[in-house]
Amino acid sequence: MKKNLIITAILVIACFLAIFIASLIQSDWNRVEIETGIIEIDDGNIAYKLYTPKGAKAAPGVLLLHGYQNDHETSAAYAIELARRGAVVLAIDEYGHGDTTIPMRSRGYTNHKVSVNYGNDSDSDKTYVEISGPLRYKVLMNFSTLSFFNDRYSKGSDGSAVVDSSMGGIAAYAFLSSLEEVDPTRLAISGHSMGTWASWSTAAAYSGAVNSNGVDITPKATVLQCGELFRNSIYDSKIKFNNVLLLQAKYDEFNYFRDYQNFVTDDILDTPIRTEFLGVDANQSEWNTTFGSFADGSARRIELLNTNHRLTTHDSHGMRAALEWFDSAINLDSSIEPTNQVFMLKEALVFIAMLLAIFSMVSFMNVLLYTPFFKDVVTGIPNRPNKDKSGKVWWKNCIITMLIAGFTYPFLTQLGHGLLPLNENIFRMTIGNGFLSWYLFLIVVMLFTTIIPIKRAKKKGVIIDMADLGFASEKSPKHFDFKLLGKAILLVLSMLLLMYVELFIAVKVFTLDFRFIWPFFRLFSFESKGIYFRL
């Protein structure tokens, strides 16, 4: 017990040391103030994280919008690099994500979708089709339908409509532009994946906009981290998008972001939708080349990145291109070269902190197992006749189980939640439903993989009892031991409590959670998770 107590203490201290250094990096060694808060609107609260360079006056401002199943911390790479260069950066949790209390259905939906780029669709080609199913499925299928599109796209035949495809971006932009440290004439937007549609929507909402002082607060640049393009004919010609950079992942997993093509090749640049975006004639478009002018807002560029969709947020090439773009549009502090990037060091440190926290749970478990109360939770492998002692069977089953979990994760978490027959008035969170669907599926798999071996063993004359399954002790192997189960549950809860305390301190003291690029562990918020049960 003493040995494991020492190991646990070392792991916990090392975890907080990693988090502490990561916090110094995200604050540029205390040159940037970090704060979290909420923006109150009629529908609820939008949670945010604000990065403000100390002593900032009339500084450029950038709004960051994350992707699906993410939160504001996924935008941290851009936030860190921009704040180091003098920008005030606002990263929000969009509708239905993080600690924002507004559900994703507030975005709105229609009863149709398209299977090509907007403006390239037609009824005759069946690229414009009606959809049915649960409301949550319609919301998911309408991510690429934007509220500033004309009525054919943004409104459904059943009276439905996409109301706010900015996912809270419009309210957040207003908040950012009102900050006293920010120069409202030097504002920009960037988003990833789902956040690119929110970026288009926010930029459209503030096209030609002026604040209460009569100052033009139109976004001066928009950077799309894997964004979908659409034809100019599908929205009001009065809307103008200034200086748009598209970061194109060569190996993007989602067809939205490669113009519904199978692969990203050089030919994609010569399609009408790409040449229209770049403002050039056919055969004139090129990767990594700026067309147009920053002075009049017509600058356009498509940067090809040798990465996939999910890693675009932390791609050093994309980061360099984005920083150069922002600098040209809103004038960053150019004393720091675009290639001078520290965001991945912060990301690596929070990942290390997460692993240390997980390891500390294991060592803490060993501490508890030395106590009299938990001692009988551990039992050795029963010595049964005809039992395979080589371990090959165990490893085979273990690998198969992990493969099943891994291969089904993207399908059940992305689409399973939309189509499963769950109660619409209770299970209205698409993200939560996705994980619930996945967990339920794995439970069914577990039952089958438990029952089948039992039946096979029985045919061979080998009886697998409760002790073999870990549900009873050797003293009474045939009867389910509820007391043993209760102790096992308490053991797990005690381990989880330790890690939750570590996470709580990391979030509240250092404003960082445990992750690696994408969210892994977050604090439980009764207010935001209450969306599950809000009728």
Side-chain angles (χ1 to χ4, degrees):
M1 181 185 287
K2 183 178 180 181
K3 179 182 177 180
N4 282 286
L5 274 172
I6 294 172
I7 293 172
T8 302
I10 291 172
L11 289 170
V12 171
I13 292 170
C15 170
F16 286 125
L17 179 61
I19 283 290
F20 172 66
I21 298 173
S23 71
L24 290 175
I25 293 171
Q26 81 161 348
S27 67
D28 195 24
W29 304 93
N30 290 323
R31 286 188 284 265
V32 175
E33 293 181 350
I34 312 289
E35 63 177 287
T36 58
I38 58 171
I39 302 168
E40 296 182 3
I41 61 175
D42 291 340
D43 293 336
N45 298 330
I46 298 171
Y48 68 79
K49 188 171 182 178
L50 183 66
Y51 301 70
T52 307
K54 289 184 177 179
K57 293 181 180 179
V62 182
L63 172 65
L64 299 179
L65 301 163
H66 61 77
Y68 184 55
Q69 295 188 349
N70 289 186
D71 58 24
H72 68 267
E73 204 63 32
T74 310
S75 304
Y78 275 72
I80 289 169
E81 297 301 339
L82 286 164
R84 290 178 67 210
R85 292 163 173 82
V88 176
V89 185
L90 180 66
I92 70 165
D93 292 338
E94 295 167 58
Y95 292 170
H97 291 71
D99 290 324
T100 288
T101 62
I102 305 169
M104 202 148 55
R105 63 172 56 192
S106 293
R107 182 188 194 279
Y109 68 95
T110 67
N111 63 339
H112 61 255
K113 68 182 183 71
V114 302
S115 56
V116 293
N117 297 93
Y118 280 91
N120 288 340
D121 58 279
S122 69
D123 297 295
S124 58
D125 292 340
K126 296 183 178 179
T127 51
Y128 180 95
V129 295
E130 289 204 357
I131 57 175
S132 58
L135 186 149
R136 57 181 176 270
Y137 177 73
K138 292 179 181 178
V139 171
L140 181 70
M141 289 297 100
N142 272 265
F143 273 173
S144 57
T145 309
L146 307 184
S147 45
F148 67 91
F149 287 173
N150 61 39
D151 288 354
R152 168 179 168 81
Y153 302 109
S154 61
K155 294 183 179 179
S157 59
D158 59 352
S160 58
V162 177
V163 179
D164 182 9
S165 54
S166 79
M167 302 281 280
I170 292 175
Y173 190 90
F175 174 78
L176 177 64
S177 68
S178 68
L179 296 177
E180 62 179 16
E181 300 89 352
V182 172
D183 178 353
T185 67
R186 299 164 63 198
L187 298 175
I189 306 169
S190 183
H192 171 248
S193 192
M194 181 186 73
T196 61
W197 292 311
S199 297
W200 281 121
S201 303
T202 305
Y206 286 94
S207 175
V210 296
N211 63 16
S212 58
N213 296 321
V215 177
D216 183 1
I217 59 173
T218 302
K220 298 303 182 291
T222 301
V223 174
L224 307 170
Q225 305 165 44
C226 297
E228 182 182 9
L229 301 179
F230 40 81
R231 304 304 293 268
N232 296 338
S233 59
I234 68 170
Y235 61 91
D236 192 327
S237 59
K238 294 179 182 178
I239 295 174
K240 181 183 178 183
F241 298 101
N242 288 321
N243 306 321
V244 184
L245 168 65
L246 171 60
L247 301 179
Q248 175 72 63
K250 186 175 182 179
Y251 306 105
D252 204 302
E253 302 94 309
F254 300 95
N255 61 3
Y256 298 112
F257 308 115
R258 41 182 161 82
D259 297 355
Y260 298 86
Q261 304 297 315
N262 292 327
F263 303 100
V264 175
T265 64
D266 289 345
D267 294 338
I268 200 173
L269 286 175
D270 292 326
T271 59
I273 200 162
R274 295 269 169 157
T275 54
E276 183 178 88
F277 169 73
L278 292 173
V280 298
D281 295 328
N283 301 318
Q284 290 183 326
S285 54
E286 294 180 25
W287 298 113
N288 309 343
T289 302
T290 300
F291 298 91
S293 168
F294 280 96
D296 62 9
S298 65
R300 298 289 186 273
R301 184 183 179 101
I302 304 177
E303 196 79 10
L304 183 63
L305 311 181
N306 192 33
T307 188
N308 64 16
H309 181 84
R310 289 173 171 83
L311 294 180
T312 300
T313 56
H314 290 68
D315 182 82
S316 59
H317 176 185
M319 180 66 74
R320 186 195 73 225
L323 291 172
E324 290 173 346
W325 196 262
F326 284 126
D327 188 30
S328 298
I330 57 175
N331 298 320
L332 301 177
D333 178 0
S334 55
S335 64
I336 303 176
E337 292 293 327
T339 53
N340 182 342
Q341 301 171 12
V342 300
F343 65 87
M344 276 307 296
L345 182 56
K346 169 261 176 186
E347 210 65 37
L349 284 167
V350 293
F351 179 60
I352 291 170
M354 179 182 73
L355 294 179
L356 290 168
I358 293 172
F359 294 151
S360 72
M361 285 200 306
V362 178
S363 61
F364 184 57
M365 175 190 72
N366 289 332
V367 172
L368 295 177
L369 290 176
Y370 276 101
T371 63
F373 181 80
F374 286 112
K375 192 172 184 179
D376 58 345
V377 173
V378 179
T379 58
I381 298 175
N383 185 18
R384 295 287 189 264
N386 303 318
K387 193 172 185 68
D388 185 353
K389 295 182 175 66
S390 67
K392 292 181 180 179
V393 174
W394 186 91
W395 276 107
K396 182 186 74 173
N397 293 338
C398 179
I399 292 170
I400 291 173
T401 301
M402 289 190 291
L403 289 175
I404 290 172
F407 281 119
T408 57
Y409 174 83
F411 303 103
L412 289 176
T413 56
Q414 295 284 339
L415 291 176
H417 54 59
L419 298 176
L420 282 182
L422 300 172
N423 188 296
E424 184 69 31
N425 285 330
I426 298 177
F427 298 99
R428 55 170 50 185
M429 284 279 288
T430 57
I431 297 172
N433 288 345
F435 284 101
L436 179 61
S437 304
W438 185 54
Y439 294 148
L440 291 175
F441 173 79
L442 294 181
I443 289 172
V444 173
V445 170
M446 179 195 70
L447 291 174
F448 275 103
T449 55
T450 301
I451 294 170
I452 292 174
I454 291 175
K455 291 187 176 294
R456 285 179 177 175
K458 190 175 182 181
K459 289 181 180 180
K460 295 178 182 179
V462 178
I463 302 301
I464 297 178
D465 54 33
M466 290 296 171
D468 291 313
L469 298 175
F471 295 136
S473 66
E474 283 287 284
K475 296 178 182 178
S476 183
K478 296 182 179 180
H479 301 286
F480 192 100
D481 191 335
F482 286 96
K483 184 178 179 181
L484 184 65
L485 176 64
K487 288 185 177 182
I489 292 172
L490 284 174
L491 179 68
V492 172
L493 290 176
S494 300
M495 294 165 62
L496 289 175
L497 178 62
L498 172 66
M499 187 166 178
Y500 193 87
V501 169
E502 292 173 297
L503 177 60
F504 181 88
I505 294 172
V507 172
K508 298 301 182 181
V509 177
F510 302 105
T511 62
L512 288 169
D513 58 17
F514 295 151
R515 68 174 54 227
F516 184 67
I517 298 176
W518 287 59
F520 280 95
F521 298 97
R522 287 182 51 87
L523 294 179
F524 185 85
S525 168
F526 284 100
E527 187 176 23
S528 61
K529 302 306 179 290
I531 297 172
Y532 270 111
F533 308 105
R534 192 179 300 158
L535 300 180

